[in-house]
Amino acid sequence: MRGAPSPKIRDIVCITTAPAGLRLCVVKVVTDQDGLYGYGCATFTQRAELVAPAVERYLKPLLVGRPADRIEDAWQACYNSSYWRNGPVLNNAISGVDQALWDIKGRTLGTPVYQLLGGKCREAAACYVHVSGAGNEEVIEKARYFLAAGFRHLRVQVGLPGMEAFWCGSSYSGGRPPGLPEGAPAFKPLHDEPLYEPAAYMRRSLRMLEACRAELGDDVELIHDVHERISPTQGLQFAKDVERFRLFFLEDLFSPEDAGWFRLVRQQCATPMAMGELFNSPHEWTPLIAERLIDYIRIHVSQAGGVTPCRKIAALGELFGVKTAWHGPADVSPIGHAANVALDLACHNFGIQEYALFDDRAQEVFPGTLVARDGYLFANEAPGWGIEVNERLAAKYPFGSGETGERRRYNGGWGHVRRADGAIVKQ
Ligand code: GCO
Ligand code: MG
């Protein structure tokens, strides 16, 4: 017995929009069935303009006319057709199509995507928010605000005077140097670009974590993101130093290039390790999971190519005791956040979900955007992701709108962060 005829892919387009300042890219796959389409996140904010041509000039000709209900087949076709693979632009392009096909399948069957992944094994996904301040007092004040709002997991970051919060509103302790940062080595910055001194950052962050535990108590779950900015040996020391604060996890202690250092950390302390937002390739995540070198895999789902590869990564993690903590900052579109939550609900080895608060403008462009309640994210019960894109409104916020300074100058890309002597620091 054959079922209903498969919907066929009729068109694939990219919707680019920046309602909250950050450049977002969403792929729309349109089928030959009336009113049947889907959306997928393809956001690579620092090189956002490159994703649309990858989708429209390469994936579209490959997929138009093919069945929209064969997601794995479409994924394999896209992944293999470039021969050279696993790069961020191509993976985001594939993710846009992949997530849109999951959306279409949900809409076709009248069910949310988490059902297609096996259904809920939890009611909702506990999530964490970003708490950043220029000093400990500000961090603690903001932390209290979020605790009162029902969050129990907080990512705490502190800037240094002269190395203040920047990028995405979070602080990785860099910024324009007005003078000499407190605790920095006694020499003057030889440039006026964002300044970062690792030793000063480490001292200051340890004091901040100490203050958080003293003021907020032991029940709150604390997370901290190093953002790969310190040297491997400093990282090793830092992991040991923060052990006493019992973090929920310490994130991106090393850059992907230095991932081999996790072996030493494992031998020397029990601080839980989270890593993965920079990963694009199985060559990166497979060894870390299989050697049990990390506790949380934090892949940016669209950077890995979408839901199809990420549910396999989650399954791999489950076998090795590694939990998921999919990357969820404001440069993942609301569609991408919904995809994260579908995985969170359906995968038993879920650990935590990073949460970005989208402002009213972004919520208007993406009606159905998930909003946390009492520290949890609940999936939409409408079919697919349960999110629409108001394309007319999206067009009112073209790339570049709301951008100032370096963001605008570098076409939405990042500038540099430099040591006092002028050397560039990994971001
Ligand atoms: C996080 C991240 C982000 C990234 C950003 C890059 O843990 O949320 O580190 O803030 O820096 O997504 O574009
Ligand atoms: Mg991070």
Side-chain angles (χ1 to χ4, degrees):
M1 272 283 286
R2 305 189 63 173
S6 296
K8 298 268 188 310
I9 297 175
R10 188 164 56 77
D11 196 12
I12 304 181
V13 291
C14 263
I15 300 161
T16 55
T17 183
L22 283 171
R23 300 178 179 213
L24 305 175
C25 185
V26 166
V27 169
K28 182 179 190 183
V29 174
V30 182
T31 74
D32 61 354
Q33 293 189 4
D34 227 16
L36 182 62
Y37 54 83
Y39 295 111
C41 184
T43 300
F44 174 11
T45 205
Q46 291 83 349
R47 295 292 182 270
E49 285 183 3
L50 298 180
V51 178
V55 172
E56 290 169 0
R57 293 202 211 154
Y58 291 98
L59 301 188
K60 181 178 162 181
L62 200 65
L63 296 174
V64 164
R66 296 169 74 113
D69 58 1
R70 300 194 180 189
I71 303 176
E72 179 71 30
D73 187 66
W75 193 90
Q76 296 292 347
C78 295
Y79 184 66
N80 287 295
S81 86
S82 62
Y83 183 49
W84 278 283
R85 49 192 176 267
N86 298 320
V89 172
L90 297 184
N91 277 2
N92 270 286
I94 297 173
S95 164
V97 169
D98 176 73
Q99 294 187 7
L101 294 180
W102 282 102
D103 195 17
I104 289 173
K105 196 176 275 297
R107 290 172 190 241
T108 311
L109 300 173
T111 188
V113 174
Y114 70 77
Q115 291 286 15
L116 305 175
L117 301 174
K120 288 181 187 175
C121 57
R122 60 184 51 76
E123 300 306 321
C127 57
Y128 72 86
V129 276
H130 294 186
V131 178
S132 304
N136 294 351
E137 304 67 33
E138 191 184 339
V139 173
I140 285 159
E141 192 188 320
K142 286 187 182 165
R144 290 215 164 97
Y145 167 84
F146 283 114
L147 289 172
F151 291 92
R152 279 288 164 272
H153 301 79
L154 308 176
R155 192 195 76 169
V156 286
Q157 308 286 140
V158 68
L160 281 88
M163 291 163 61
E164 287 92 1
F166 81 123
W167 301 133
C168 308
S170 346
S171 164
Y172 304 112
S173 302
R176 290 205 173 275
L180 211 58
E182 178 199 309
F187 49 81
K188 278 205 179 310
L190 302 179
H191 58 88
D192 62 358
E193 290 195 290
L195 171 70
Y196 179 86
E197 276 298 328
Y201 151 79
M202 287 164 66
R203 287 193 290 275
R204 177 92 167 178
S205 296
L206 288 173
R207 286 202 295 274
M208 181 271 295
L209 290 169
E210 187 145 32
C212 284
R213 274 290 172 242
E215 297 291 325
L216 305 171
D218 289 335
D219 291 340
V220 50
E221 298 287 1
L222 298 176
I223 287 168
H224 183 74
D225 188 353
V226 178
H227 225 259
E228 57 162 2
R229 285 189 166 170
I230 59 182
S231 76
T233 315
Q234 285 171 323
L236 184 58
Q237 183 66 55
F238 195 65
K240 293 197 285 186
D241 289 345
V242 301
E243 192 176 19
R244 65 199 162 103
F245 302 124
R246 303 287 159 107
L247 297 186
F248 186 83
F249 63 60
L250 183 63
E251 176 185 343
D252 286 1
L253 183 60
F254 306 122
S255 68
E257 295 86 342
D258 289 325
W261 284 78
F262 281 114
R263 288 191 195 93
L264 292 180
V265 171
R266 279 301 206 226
Q267 287 159 18
Q268 296 192 31
C269 72
T271 298
M273 291 291 128
M275 176 82 187
E277 70 184 48
L278 284 164
F279 289 170
N280 297 285
S281 163
H283 308 307
E284 295 163 314
W285 57 73
T286 307
L288 285 189
I289 293 174
E291 279 191 63
R292 298 184 167 90
L293 294 180
I294 54 172
D295 300 276
Y296 295 89
I297 182 76
R298 262 185 64 62
I299 285 169
H300 183 111
V301 167
S302 67
Q303 290 285 350
V307 167
T308 296
C310 286
R311 64 185 190 132
K312 298 172 189 174
I313 297 168
L316 177 71
E318 184 175 352
L319 298 180
F320 289 98
V322 175
K323 293 183 176 172
T324 65
W326 308 114
H327 193 221
D331 56 307
V332 167
S333 74
I335 304 285
H337 281 270
N340 286 346
V341 171
L343 288 164
D344 296 341
L345 299 193
C347 298
H348 187 253
N349 57 322
F350 162 76
I352 191 75
Q353 181 56 57
E354 182 180 20
Y355 173 53
L357 293 90
F358 285 99
D359 64 12
D360 291 348
R361 289 211 306 206
Q363 292 190 37
E364 269 169 37
V365 172
F366 296 98
T369 295
L370 302 183
V371 178
R373 292 202 316 267
D374 298 324
Y376 288 106
L377 280 161
F378 294 81
N380 288 326
E381 295 303 328
W385 306 126
I387 300 185
E388 289 300 328
V389 180
N390 183 332
E391 294 177 43
R392 192 185 42 79
L393 209 53
K396 289 196 176 158
Y397 306 109
F399 281 179
S401 53
E403 276 171 11
T404 52
E406 286 185 339
R407 277 258 174 84
R408 177 169 278 272
R409 196 155 69 242
Y410 301 138
N411 196 21
W414 281 8
H416 325 289
V417 180
R418 295 182 187 274
R419 298 283 304 270
D421 68 1
I424 286 182
V425 180
K426 275 184 184 151
Q427 297 266 22

